[in-house]
Amino acid sequence: MFKGLFDNTEWAGILSTLIFFTVFVIAVVMAITKKKSDVDYMSNLPLEDDDIIETKK
């Protein structure tokens, strides 16, 4: 039943390229549409103390 599926494997390259570009475009759109306040908060996370982060939740 599945013998013919693996005879022609060029579909795998096309499918993986389409999945990659779809995920890439979604990531770019999410990065562009992110609020500036959210980006500022996340960019300061590595610099803050752990107890300050706990109180903001």
Side-chain angles (χ1 to χ4, degrees):
M1 182 169 141
F2 294 107
K3 282 183 183 179
L5 183 64
F6 297 108
D7 289 342
N8 188 5
T9 56
E10 65 186 40
W11 59 269
I14 295 169
L15 181 63
S16 62
T17 303
L18 287 174
I19 291 172
F20 169 77
F21 279 115
T22 302
V23 171
F24 181 76
V25 167
I26 290 171
V28 168
V29 168
M30 288 178 67
I32 291 173
T33 59
K34 186 70 70 175
K35 292 180 187 176
K36 177 141 176 65
S37 61
D38 292 340
V39 173
D40 289 339
Y41 173 72
M42 287 186 280
S43 67
N44 288 325
L45 281 177
L47 304 174
E48 294 179 358
D49 294 331
D50 288 339
D51 57 342
I52 295 172
I53 296 171
E54 294 291 328
T55 59
K56 287 186 178 180
K57 289 183 181 179

